[in-house]
Amino acid sequence: MARVYNFSAGPSMLPESVLKKAASEMLDYQGTGESVMEMSHRSKEYDAIITETQALLRQVMGIPDNYKVLFLQGGASSQFAMVPLNLMTGSGKADYILSGQFSTKAYQEACRYGDAAAAASSKEQNFTCIPATDRSTFRPDADYVHICMNNTIYGTTWKELPDTGKVPLVADVSSCILSEPIDVTKFACLYAGAQKNMAPAGLTVVIIREDFIGHAKENCPAMFNYKIHADNDSMYNTPPTYSIYICKLVLEWIRDEIGGLEAMKARNEKKAALLYDYLDESKLFKPTAAQKDRSIMNVTFVTGDPELDKKFVAEGAKAGFINIKGHRSVGGMRASIYNAMPVEGIEKLVSFMKAFEEENCHA
Ligand SMILES: *Cc1c(COP(=O)(O)O)cnc(C)c1O
């Protein structure tokens, strides 16, 4: 068996020990004689799994008691609608910061439900940086300010949160959740598609302060109403049972093998530094994100020659470094180095890049 290093932006790598554990429990989960995939979501065995998953997430992230954790479906993309349907219901205004494609989609969706404003944007800079903001950027009576914490496609991230004054903050954390500690109390609501850093596709996690629940618009679909899911402990309908189970194994891996989110952060920073340090000294490859905003999860770079980019991606794939092509909208390369990517994967990638540079750089 040969495993590759998978630099996919999502779905992405899972820790090998998690996959092995899941494999060992595939046919007979802890003496039940059935797979977790086959279990009734109302069974006591499954209830133990979902309860434990939530407890682990609360423990690992330090989520305070006055926040609800919801296990939903529909991806982060459904949250683009669910957030305004539930939260843009006071003044009916919300301010969005456009820092890439996903935040732009979130903004466009919110425009369907009320007075959403693009308060700041880095589109003019091709989203290579996080837009500058200060308190005057935001309407003081807005129901919330929305940001995308880590811009998966462009490789930028918010190192410091915007100063929104009293306006609550909502963040899409799909591609950075569990990569480092986060102060949950700074947010009204956090949401993430699980397929980047938590679990396989199918699960969407929402962490929301209790007092933001229960204010949905009159015509909000039941499945899009946070209160319905909160009141039913994420069991209003069938939750994505297997994905939640893998999420539990991933959280155990972070807690028991990595040592928690501070240790996870140190590991991720080390990985990112290996790659950025090389990119900064390379004569062939250039990083594309503004240095101050660099993501430790998605590293974007180019050679400046689209043909050479193509050659690099193809030769990389042959050598076992797959999915390193940039997003179809921006080209170039992107190495997504989420939690499960081992340090060794980056070391080997950098060696491969150095060899490629030597062969292809005749400057
Ligand atoms: C992947 C991603 C999305 C889209 O997630 P889906 O689960 O496919 O809807 C949204 N936001 C960010 C930041 C992402 O990385």
Side-chain angles (χ1 to χ4, degrees):
M1 182 195 69
R3 299 260 307 156
V4 292
Y5 292 108
N6 181 4
F7 292 89
S8 168
S12 44
M13 285 183 81
L14 285 162
E16 207 165 287
S17 63
V18 165
L19 295 175
K20 283 183 173 149
K21 179 97 195 276
S24 77
E25 295 182 331
M26 180 59 75
L27 295 181
D28 177 8
Y29 176 74
Q30 298 187 0
T32 57
E34 59 180 339
S35 169
V36 174
M37 272 188 227
E38 303 169 302
M39 251 175 213
S40 163
H41 62 294
R42 309 277 177 203
S43 64
K44 74 172 192 324
E45 290 83 5
Y46 193 75
D47 185 63
I49 292 173
I50 193 168
T51 303
E52 178 62 15
T53 309
Q54 177 171 166
L56 275 163
L57 187 64
R58 286 183 175 280
Q59 180 189 12
V60 167
M61 286 185 69
I63 300 171
D65 288 343
N66 62 328
Y67 283 74
K68 292 279 189 203
V69 172
L70 307 176
F71 295 125
L72 309 179
Q73 305 196 46
S77 302
S78 289
Q79 294 307 309
F80 298 166
M82 207 158 164
V83 166
L85 279 168
N86 285 268
L87 305 185
M88 199 166 49
T89 57
S91 65
K93 299 177 189 173
D95 287 349
Y96 279 71
I97 304 183
L98 310 193
S99 56
Q101 241 180 61
F102 291 119
S103 51
T104 302
K105 283 184 174 166
Y107 161 66
Q108 286 164 346
E109 193 73 352
C111 287
R112 297 155 59 88
Y113 301 110
D115 177 4
S121 171
S122 53
K123 187 164 193 278
E124 298 267 291
Q125 291 78 39
N126 295 318
F127 297 128
T128 52
C129 61
I130 297 291
T133 58
D134 58 40
R135 201 175 284 196
S136 70
T137 308
F138 308 106
R139 295 176 289 183
D141 63 337
D143 289 327
Y144 61 87
V145 169
H146 178 282
I147 62 169
C148 178
M149 188 75 95
N150 184 76
N151 298 282
T152 321
I153 295 173
Y154 304 92
T156 63
T157 204
W158 288 83
K159 305 270 177 187
E160 245 177 78
L161 295 178
D163 176 6
T164 63
K166 286 199 162 50
V167 185
L169 197 53
V170 173
D172 176 352
V173 289
S174 295
S175 52
C176 58
I177 190 167
L178 300 177
S179 65
E180 58 183 319
I182 184 168
D183 183 355
V184 176
T185 64
K186 296 267 193 292
F187 300 88
C189 175
L190 293 166
Y191 65 87
Q195 69 274 21
K196 317 282 164 72
N197 235 356
M198 306 186 95
L203 169 64
T204 309
V205 173
V206 174
I207 301 163
I208 181 167
R209 217 174 76 195
E210 275 167 358
D211 52 317
F212 287 94
I213 298 176
H215 312 290
K217 287 179 190 293
E218 195 71 30
N219 60 354
C220 177
M223 278 296 288
F224 272 48
N225 191 328
Y226 289 133
K227 183 164 167 48
I228 298 249
H229 293 290
D231 287 350
N232 289 281
D233 296 321
S234 304
M235 287 277 193
Y236 173 68
N237 73 325
T238 317
T241 52
Y242 197 75
S243 194
I244 291 169
Y245 157 73
I246 299 289
C247 186
K248 173 175 168 286
L249 300 185
V250 167
L251 288 162
E252 284 167 350
W253 171 77
I254 292 174
R255 186 189 61 182
D256 303 334
E257 288 182 55
I258 299 294
L261 289 188
E262 283 294 351
M264 193 83 247
K265 177 184 186 184
R267 199 177 99 127
N268 285 330
E269 283 179 340
K270 178 178 169 189
K271 279 155 50 185
L274 279 170
L275 196 42
Y276 283 121
D277 286 352
Y278 165 63
L279 287 171
D280 283 336
E281 69 180 35
S282 169
K283 294 200 169 53
L284 182 64
F285 297 106
K286 282 169 232 34
T288 54
Q291 187 150 8
K292 67 178 181 31
D293 300 326
R294 284 175 176 176
S295 167
I296 59 169
M297 293 281 98
N298 311 94
V299 179
T300 49
F301 55 98
V302 294
T303 64
D305 171 0
E307 284 309 311
L308 204 52
D309 288 353
K310 220 189 251 176
K311 185 176 174 200
F312 174 75
V313 169
E315 289 188 10
K318 260 192 234 154
F321 307 103
I322 71 164
N323 292 318
I324 207 155
K325 194 169 169 222
H327 188 269
R328 59 190 187 281
S329 65
V330 294
M333 277 74 71
R334 168 179 54 178
S336 295
I337 52 175
Y338 297 121
N339 286 354
M341 173 62 67
V343 176
E344 174 199 84
I346 315 285
E347 288 167 347
K348 289 190 175 163
L349 175 66
V350 169
S351 304
F352 175 78
M353 290 172 77
K354 283 181 178 164
F356 185 89
E357 172 165 355
E358 232 160 73
E359 254 170 56
N360 292 277
C361 200
H362 310 293

